[in-house]
Structure formats: structure tokens, C-alpha cells
Amino acid sequence: MHALWPSVQAFHPQLWRAVCGYELNHAVREELLQEVLLAIWESLPRLRDPDMLLPFVLRIAHNLGASHIRSETRMPTPVPFDESVHDMPDPTAGGDCVRTQWLFEALATLPLNLRQVLMLQLEGFDYQEIADMLGISPENVGVRLHRARERLKALSREEERR
């Protein structure tokens, strides 16, 4: 086992949130997380700076999530809405669970380029770190974040009208 693997396991919540941002179906989320963990396991020997482990694993997760989205859009598989298959908020759990579920559903409606930057910012990365992970400029990160927030605000206003 690689010496950094216990540290990778400690990042499970961040990896799960990354996967949740790319897939709503719980079973497919589990599969995607397994693919991410396998890719991280295979890539760990190439990590040069152990202090950059979290950005390293999140970059892998987001790249696999993006690949998952691209492959799904090429051959979309309709998934009927079934509460036993999809993660549903527990109405007795309070507002946080409902807001989290709304956020994941709203994120799923965003284009991939906007979804990635917003998810990374929600994980606490700054513009430069996000730019480095995605291979874009920090200015482009700012533009994408602005567009993503505007779309989420519009979705929120639509939700309030209902």
C-alpha cells in the first residue's frame, strides 16, 4: 500500500461531494467513486509533492467526472425518477439536507465548465489553484464562477416562484 493512501481515505467526503456533482443516481455515484479511487491509487506514484495531495486527488475526481458526463451525453440513458434509486432528502432531517439536495440537483443542470469551477470553489480552493487544476487562467475561473452563480441565482428565483 502507498504511504499516502491513508491520507487519500481521509479525503473521502471531498471525493464523494465531487462525484455527487456529476451524477444524481446513487448506484452510478458509487461506481464513479470506485473509478476515482482506483485512478488515484494508480496515480499516487506519480505525485511529486505530497503537500499537493488534495488538489491532486480532486483533479483526478473532476477529470473522471467530466469524462463521465461527456460519455453520458454521447449516449444518454434515461433514468426514470424513482425514489428508491435516487438519493432523496429526508424531510425530517431539517433544512440543510434539503438545501444540499437542491444544490446537487442545480449543479447537475449547469454546463460542465461552470460546474467544475463552482464545485472546486465550494471545496475551498482559490482562483489560482482552480486554474492550475483545470488548465485555465485565473481570470477565466472568475468568469466561469460568475456565470455559474448567476445561473444558480436564476434557478433559486424560479424555485421560489413555485
Side-chain angles (χ1 to χ4, degrees):
M1 177 174 10
H2 195 279
L4 291 174
W5 188 248
S7 299
V8 170
Q9 290 176 317
F11 298 140
H12 191 272
Q14 292 94 331
L15 293 170
W16 181 249
R17 284 191 298 268
V19 167
C20 288
Y22 290 102
E23 181 59 54
L24 291 177
N25 182 309
H26 184 73
V28 179
R29 281 180 180 172
E30 292 286 343
E31 289 177 18
L32 186 56
L33 181 61
Q34 292 300 315
E35 288 179 37
V36 167
L37 290 171
L38 178 61
I40 292 168
W41 177 266
E42 292 172 343
S43 300
L44 273 177
R46 293 192 300 270
L47 177 64
R48 293 183 193 145
D49 183 2
D51 292 335
M52 298 299 290
L53 182 61
L54 180 59
F56 179 79
V57 299
L58 285 177
R59 183 176 197 165
I60 291 170
H62 284 280
N63 286 342
L64 283 174
S67 295
H68 171 74
I69 294 296
R70 283 190 293 273
S71 68
E72 288 296 312
T73 56
R74 285 186 198 117
M75 295 174 48
T77 307
V79 177
F81 186 78
D82 179 0
E83 290 186 19
S84 66
V85 174
H86 291 78
D87 289 338
M88 294 298 297
D90 179 4
T92 62
D96 282 344
C97 186
V98 173
R99 283 192 302 268
T100 300
Q101 183 65 25
W102 180 88
L103 180 59
F104 282 132
E105 290 172 1
L107 280 170
T109 68
L110 294 178
L112 183 59
N113 63 339
L114 302 182
R115 186 183 323 175
Q116 281 185 311
V117 293
L118 189 57
M119 289 173 58
L120 288 168
Q121 187 182 47
L122 289 172
E123 289 297 336
F125 291 98
D126 64 28
Y127 284 30
Q128 186 62 54
E129 292 169 323
I130 296 169
D132 292 342
M133 278 190 246
L134 299 179
I136 59 177
S137 70
E139 292 79 15
N140 194 300
V141 170
V143 169
R144 290 181 185 189
L145 282 170
H146 175 74
R147 290 177 182 166
R149 285 190 212 108
E150 290 301 313
R151 289 200 185 183
L152 287 179
K153 285 178 192 176
L155 288 171
S156 178
R157 285 191 294 271
E158 287 176 24
E159 186 73 22
E160 289 173 4
R161 286 187 213 129
R162 292 182 195 171

